[in-house]
Amino acid sequence: MKRLMSPLFGLLLVFVPACQARGSDPSGTGPSTPAPAEAAAPKAPADTVLARVNGKDIPSSHLERALKLFLAMNSPDPGAISAAQIQELRKQLLQDLIGSELLYQASQAAGIQVDDDAVAQQVQALQGKFATDAEFTKYLQDQGLTPDMVGEQARRSLATGQLIQREVGSKVSVSDEDIADYYEKNKERMRRPEAVKVSEIFAAAGARANPGARSKARQKIELVLQEVRGGKDFADLARQFSESPDAKDGGEMGYLSRDGSLPVLTEAAFQLKVGEVSDVVETPFGYHLLKVTDKRAAGDVTLEEARPRISALLHEQKEQEAVNAYLAALKAGARIEILAPTP
């Protein structure tokens, strides 16, 4: 299931400050990297019931957790957001929580059940984004979560996803005419910048890592660099040692353009020749080795090159519209009570 109306749809818990994000847009501008942020929004004084959806309570603690996660994902400086903006955001997030609850209730009314193995895989996928179990535990503590809460949210997310696929996703289609029309109307956006295709080997050492941990990560990446210099295959070493999600793909990150979100990485990558490996590159996330496997000149993207991405984009837009209509119908038939002012 694709991302729905807001970050609250789907697995609310799966915000992890990843070191890289792969993939590219139709113009081939390459991946972008989200920067983690510390969210410190004022909290409601007590865990009051803010709303009730067909008899199911939505307490203020759920709204505060959603707000904290949303700010962490979307605001580089949560402290710069005004009290009025926070108030408006809380109102929107409460509506998102109501919508999420309605979708989950509909999934249960439809008889959708999620087996324990699927839940365990979802939780393991989240945990696998952290270098150690201790980091995962700390993340949960910082977000006010427990392992049981993570599992329950995973179960709800998977059930809702199945419902959306059954009721909405399976009925959405994108035609060749839709794709061609979008391409013709957005040709200027289709022009891609100069880019390099990069693979990486990554040793995690985030901003919160103590000096000992950073030193250990640095030693690890330097030992791997020696292996690379000694002739070992870069992709094999990435699969064996890299701590990035792209390790399973031999470290392949895709194409990076010069305006990438981590300038220190793109600058280092553009200095390399095809087949060349960088020295150790340090970023706020840790230490990287980069290998350039291809270089691509700036130019227009053809319709065939852009087709897969345009198709995915249009499918997501159509699915979003269909989800909005489906959710509106659920709301029309639901008993929704707003019991307290949004804090």
Side-chain angles (χ1 to χ4, degrees):
M1 185 185 74
K2 296 179 178 65
R3 179 179 175 184
L4 302 180
M5 297 181 68
S6 83
L8 293 177
F9 285 96
L11 185 56
L12 271 172
L13 315 172
V14 186
F15 166 61
V16 181
C19 68
Q20 305 296 338
R22 295 183 297 137
S24 57
D25 62 16
S27 63
T29 55
S32 61
T33 303
E38 292 297 325
K43 293 185 177 180
D47 195 13
T48 56
V49 176
L50 299 178
R52 187 170 291 132
V53 182
N54 293 326
K56 176 68 174 180
D57 291 348
I58 297 180
S60 59
S61 60
H62 289 192
L63 177 60
E64 295 308 318
R65 186 179 303 122
L67 177 63
K68 184 176 181 181
L69 287 166
F70 184 90
L71 291 176
M73 284 188 286
N74 294 279
S75 177
D77 183 11
I81 300 177
S82 69
Q85 289 173 317
I86 290 291
Q87 174 74 1
E88 191 61 32
L89 182 56
R90 277 198 172 100
K91 291 179 181 178
Q92 179 58 54
L93 293 179
L94 179 59
Q95 290 302 312
D96 288 346
L97 288 171
I98 290 170
S100 183
E101 178 60 34
L102 278 171
L103 289 170
Y104 177 67
Q105 290 181 11
S107 76
Q108 298 310 285
I112 293 175
Q113 299 296 319
V114 177
D115 62 57
D116 292 342
D117 287 344
V119 173
Q121 289 175 11
Q122 190 90 343
V123 174
Q124 287 170 6
L126 170 60
Q127 188 168 1
K129 295 179 183 293
F130 294 84
T132 65
D133 290 345
E135 286 186 14
F136 178 60
T137 299
K138 186 178 187 307
Y139 167 75
L140 296 185
Q141 292 172 345
D142 288 346
Q143 301 300 330
L145 301 169
T146 67
D148 286 345
M149 291 166 69
V150 174
E152 176 58 23
Q153 188 59 47
R155 189 180 301 279
R156 291 170 65 95
S157 173
L158 291 167
T160 299
Q162 291 182 36
L163 174 76
I164 293 298
Q165 179 57 31
R166 178 191 298 182
E167 300 296 329
V168 176
S170 62
K171 303 172 185 178
V172 172
S173 63
V174 176
S175 69
D176 289 342
E177 290 76 12
D178 292 334
I179 295 171
D181 182 63
Y182 182 92
Y183 178 81
E184 289 299 324
K185 290 178 179 178
N186 294 274
K187 271 190 173 180
E188 288 302 315
R189 295 177 59 192
M190 295 297 106
R191 185 168 178 80
R192 64 188 176 204
E194 179 188 10
V196 291
K197 189 175 184 181
V198 178
S199 295
E200 71 166 345
I201 298 174
F202 173 67
R208 295 182 179 180
N210 59 50
R214 292 193 67 83
S215 176
K216 184 177 179 180
R218 177 84 191 204
Q219 291 174 9
K220 173 183 175 178
I221 204 73
E222 287 179 345
L223 288 173
V224 176
L225 179 57
Q226 290 179 21
E227 296 285 323
V228 173
R229 300 290 191 226
K232 294 289 184 66
D233 183 74
F234 190 93
D236 288 343
L237 291 171
R239 294 186 186 94
Q240 185 175 357
F241 295 110
S242 183
E243 298 173 33
S244 175
D246 51 39
K248 65 182 183 301
D249 302 316
E252 185 174 316
M253 298 170 62
Y255 283 92
L256 301 180
S257 61
R258 290 187 183 274
D259 61 353
S261 58
L262 268 181
V264 65
L265 281 188
T266 54
E267 181 180 349
F270 271 90
Q271 291 177 0
L272 299 173
K273 298 176 182 178
V274 174
E276 195 172 12
V277 176
S278 72
D279 291 326
V280 176
V281 180
E282 182 176 358
T283 71
F285 302 104
Y287 301 98
H288 310 250
L289 299 178
L290 306 177
K291 180 178 181 178
V292 169
T293 57
D294 186 32
K295 290 196 173 186
R296 189 175 63 191
D300 294 328
V301 176
T302 67
L303 173 59
E304 288 309 307
E305 288 174 320
R307 182 181 298 277
R309 176 58 179 160
I310 293 176
S311 178
L313 175 66
L314 294 180
H315 191 281
E316 185 171 359
Q317 290 176 352
K318 288 188 175 186
E319 185 178 75
Q320 181 69 75
E321 293 169 0
V323 169
N324 289 346
Y326 180 68
L327 186 54
L330 289 179
K331 286 184 176 181
R335 184 184 180 192
I336 301 173
E337 304 167 80
I338 305 298
L339 302 176
T342 306

